[in-house]
Amino acid sequence: MAASPSSSSRLLFLLSCLGLTLLAGAEVHHHEFVVQETPVKRLCNTHNIITVNGQFPGPTLEVREGDTLVINVVNRAQYDVTIHWHGIRQLRTGWADGPEFVTQCPIKPGGSYKYKFTIEGQEGTLWWHAHSSWLRATVYGALIIRPRENKAYPFAKPSREVPVILGEWWNANPVDVIREAQWTGGAPNVSDAFTINGQPGDFYNCSQKETTAIPVKPGETALLRFINAALNHELFVTIAQHKMTVVAADASYTKPFTTSVLMIAPGQTTDVLVTMDQAPTRYYIAARAYVSGQNVGFDNTTTTAVIEYDCGCASDFGPKIQPAFPSLPAFNDTATATAFAAGIRSPEERVKVHENVDEYLFFTVGLGLFNCKPGELCAGPNNNTRFTASMNNVSFVFPKKDSLLHAHYYKIPGVFTTDFPAYPPVQFDYTAKNVSQALWQPVPATKLYPLRFGSVVQLVLQDTSIVTPENHPIHIHGYDFLILAEGFGNFDPEKDVEKFNYADPPQRNTVAVPVNGWAVIQFVADNPGVWLMHCHLDVHITWGLAMAFLVEDGYGELQSLQPPPVDLPMCE
């Protein structure tokens, strides 16, 4: 029997009340980010760097799952800028994702843009950073997502929580560093220091007094939220005489496991619990590079912070007590990096892994060389070459006159094509020591791969040994994914499927593809828009190690991209 008008009204009223109840406790957080030039002294010299609100690192954003963020970014710097909210799913709000010329045109000097998005189904540590040129070197900060009110962590509540942001510092303008490399075609100068919360630490000139210090009390357990914001280095991290229990990675909880060393790639986050169970004195947190490439220049310095016990006693340790120094892996210790990655597992006993896959994809990732044009300056490793990088032999070219998402939404032709190859156009021995020189030069293009809404995607990411094999941290915007397996050598679809973890694969937004190896990831294309996938070593994305997925709208409003905001920046 059909419901009467009065009963229908009551039903709608009850449903609206239920919706309000579900939303109860969710907040809207308003912030203003002023991008500006700020004098900062590091390594004995004062430099004018680009910051947000004059802070380095920038402001920490703290929210709860379900909250909405509205951040008005005002550009008072001399460079174009965008801000990316790294790891946020941006469900239907792709206009707020931030990569320059992908989801928006940059914010011009003197302009502004309001990013607005809701955090749905995510808890843990993420971060935000500039996604224009190399501004990310100094424009970054933590984004902490706590559980909703009256919902607890899946572990005992820690006594304190501390963001620990690993960064990279140049005694030069980072934008000038990459511009020079683009002009010469060679590799950019490596950084002069690593930093922890913006400070290099005790082992660098003129830095000891400002070394980051973390006060703790004996017996307490602290939650340290590690973020690797470095541009071009994966990092090993250790704490002298203390074990770390990993409980989350990339804002996804993990099965707790205890380790003495972390390997965190640029873009990745790792949450650890540390119990302060040692003698009450001072202990170093130390970080230095993990380097997997051969004959690759790198920053071989070590950054430190200090854990300082407050024993409540009369003695004052102060700077007179030399902190205990931890043991660090060798720079090229791939075995330790591999063991750490293998320890990360989902906390669920049975993760939903899709057996019926709609899109089987195979992407090679690696470096290459372009032959120089007549009269062009070239500083590549071979005569008359310049560095490049590619996926499936396509070196990604970012558009300049429009963003990919805007061109897609308004069906503007000539900005991109949708013929990115599902497999390498030429199959070869990807990890051989001597790959034919005929395979070293990719094709520059702006190609997207289209995905039907709701399709299940399984993607093999295969490193190549062209120029040099290397561990590549691959990040997908707008998505988390399951890492089903990792391995070395060429991926074998018949034999390597035996290594797949169908029980408790970890969920991440950035996977460190093993050097001379592969990783298999799976995700459901349930978020419409254009989503960049790229190497998070910034020199590699500059060279073209990127592509983008175009995820079509589904059915109805809830499966469709929202219209663009009225203040969306235009390119021209």
Side-chain angles (χ1 to χ4, degrees):
M1 183 173 66
S4 66
S6 59
S7 62
S8 296
S9 299
R10 285 197 298 272
L11 178 60
L12 289 171
F13 175 75
L14 289 171
L15 287 173
S16 65
C17 289
L18 177 61
L20 289 172
T21 301
L22 292 173
L23 291 171
E27 297 182 19
V28 179
H29 302 262
H30 291 268
H31 297 273
E32 182 162 272
F33 276 17
V34 178
V35 180
Q36 61 190 51
E37 199 170 90
T38 303
V40 170
K41 186 175 183 179
R42 295 291 185 276
L43 307 184
C44 312
N45 299 306
T46 298
H47 301 268
N48 284 331
I49 67 171
I50 306 302
T51 67
V52 167
N53 298 349
Q55 301 176 40
F56 175 62
T60 294
L61 301 178
E62 300 187 50
V63 298
R64 293 186 181 275
E65 192 274 321
D67 287 356
T68 295
L69 276 165
V70 181
I71 301 128
N72 187 40
V73 176
V74 180
N75 187 4
R76 293 182 184 158
Q78 60 179 310
Y79 304 109
D80 293 351
V81 71
T82 66
I83 302 292
H84 170 52
W85 317 95
H86 186 109
I88 295 293
R89 285 293 318 273
Q90 297 291 359
L91 294 167
R92 301 179 57 236
T93 54
W95 306 105
D97 189 44
E100 185 178 57
F101 298 114
V102 178
T103 59
Q104 67 170 97
C105 295
I107 307 167
K108 300 291 185 185
S112 65
Y113 179 46
K114 192 171 289 184
Y115 294 88
K116 181 178 180 180
F117 53 90
T118 299
I119 297 165
E120 302 178 50
Q122 296 183 278
E123 295 176 14
T125 305
L126 294 175
W127 62 302
W128 58 265
H129 60 80
H131 215 295
S132 304
S133 184
W134 272 21
L135 294 182
R136 181 166 77 80
T138 56
V139 179
Y140 60 80
L143 201 172
I144 295 170
I145 309 166
R146 294 192 173 85
R148 288 176 182 255
E149 289 279 4
N150 303 319
K151 182 183 176 186
Y153 293 128
F155 43 82
K157 186 177 180 180
S159 300
R160 71 182 69 218
E161 302 179 20
V162 184
V164 184
I165 310 178
L166 310 169
E168 208 167 347
W169 178 267
W170 276 263
N171 273 333
N173 181 344
V175 174
D176 291 341
V177 171
I178 188 57
R179 283 180 175 174
E180 180 182 3
Q182 289 174 299
W183 182 62
T184 65
N189 292 336
V190 299
S191 50
D192 296 289
F194 296 116
T195 59
I196 297 179
N197 290 352
Q199 295 294 342
D202 286 1
F203 298 99
Y204 298 90
N205 292 335
C206 308
S207 301
Q208 190 168 13
K209 290 182 180 180
E210 287 76 30
T211 296
T212 297
I214 300 173
V216 300
K217 292 184 180 298
E220 74 175 2
T221 296
L223 176 63
L224 303 184
R225 300 175 177 270
F226 284 98
I227 299 166
N228 187 350
L231 258 69
N232 295 314
H233 286 83
E234 297 169 307
L235 294 168
F236 287 124
V237 184
T238 57
I239 304 177
Q241 299 180 27
H242 290 74
K243 294 290 188 180
M244 295 174 281
T245 299
V246 177
V247 292
D250 293 0
S252 291
Y253 293 119
T254 65
K255 279 188 175 73
F257 78 97
T258 301
T259 180
S260 60
V261 60
L262 313 175
M263 197 293 280
I264 313 178
Q268 292 183 330
T269 70
T270 305
D271 293 356
V272 302
L273 295 173
V274 181
T275 299
M276 305 304 162
D277 54 3
Q278 298 301 302
T281 181
R282 307 173 81 225
Y283 300 88
Y284 277 126
I285 301 175
R288 74 177 183 190
Y290 162 52
V291 183
S292 57
Q294 300 170 8
N295 301 315
V296 173
F298 68 97
D299 185 337
N300 64 359
T301 62
T302 301
T303 182
T304 55
V306 179
I307 289 179
E308 296 186 331
Y309 278 66
D310 175 6
C311 64
C313 47
S315 64
D316 178 12
F317 304 128
K320 297 178 182 179
I321 302 295
Q322 180 68 20
F325 193 84
S327 174
L328 279 160
F331 293 113
N332 62 349
D333 192 344
T334 292
T336 293
T338 303
F340 175 73
I344 299 177
R345 291 286 182 266
S346 168
E348 299 176 29
E349 291 303 320
R350 198 70 189 175
V351 173
K352 185 177 181 180
V353 179
H354 293 269
E355 296 182 3
N356 297 320
V357 174
D358 301 299
E359 298 271 3
Y360 285 99
L361 305 176
F362 189 107
F363 292 177
T364 55
V365 296
L367 305 184
L369 298 175
F370 278 145
N371 291 330
C372 288
K373 300 172 184 177
E376 191 175 35
L377 178 65
C378 289
N382 298 345
N383 288 335
N384 296 316
T385 63
R386 52 193 303 117
F387 279 112
T388 186
S390 68
M391 292 188 181
N392 276 359
N393 204 47
V394 178
S395 185
F396 192 77
V397 177
F398 287 85
K400 295 298 182 185
K401 295 184 178 180
D402 203 350
S403 73
L404 297 173
L405 188 60
H406 186 263
H408 160 62
Y409 189 84
Y410 289 105
K411 297 180 172 56
I412 299 170
V415 179
F416 61 85
T417 60
T418 55
D419 56 347
F420 186 88
Y423 296 91
V426 177
Q427 296 185 21
F428 58 98
D429 185 351
Y430 307 113
T431 56
K433 288 186 178 180
N434 297 301
V435 177
S436 169
Q437 294 273 336
L439 297 168
W440 283 39
Q441 182 151 310
V443 176
T446 309
K447 296 177 181 287
L448 278 56
Y449 190 89
L451 292 172
R452 178 177 50 82
F453 184 92
S455 58
V456 177
V457 181
Q458 193 157 299
L459 169 60
V460 177
L461 294 163
Q462 172 72 60
D463 183 34
T464 77
S465 59
I466 294 175
V467 181
T468 179
E470 195 165 357
N471 185 304
H472 294 281
I474 302 298
H475 170 51
I476 304 183
H477 289 230
Y479 284 90
D480 288 327
F481 48 77
L482 300 176
I483 303 176
L484 299 185
E486 296 181 11
F488 293 98
N490 296 328
F491 176 75
D492 186 326
E494 294 183 2
K495 295 180 180 179
D496 288 332
V497 71
E498 298 174 2
K499 302 174 183 177
F500 282 23
N501 177 5
Y502 290 113
D504 58 354
Q507 179 173 276
R508 305 205 68 160
N509 63 53
T510 305
V511 57
V513 178
V515 54
N516 248 332
W518 50 267
V520 180
I521 65 174
Q522 187 184 98
F523 64 95
V524 178
D526 59 358
N527 192 10
V530 176
W531 304 105
L532 188 66
M533 182 172 79
H534 64 93
C535 182
H536 224 279
L537 302 176
D538 268 30
V539 63
H540 290 177
I541 187 176
T542 303
W543 289 340
L545 214 171
M547 58 81 64
F549 291 107
L550 194 165
V551 181
E552 300 166 356
D553 283 348
Y555 297 101
E557 182 181 354
L558 296 181
Q559 294 184 358
S560 300
L561 178 69
Q562 294 178 1
V566 294
D567 63 338
L568 182 72
M570 294 291 104
C571 287
E572 297 178 337

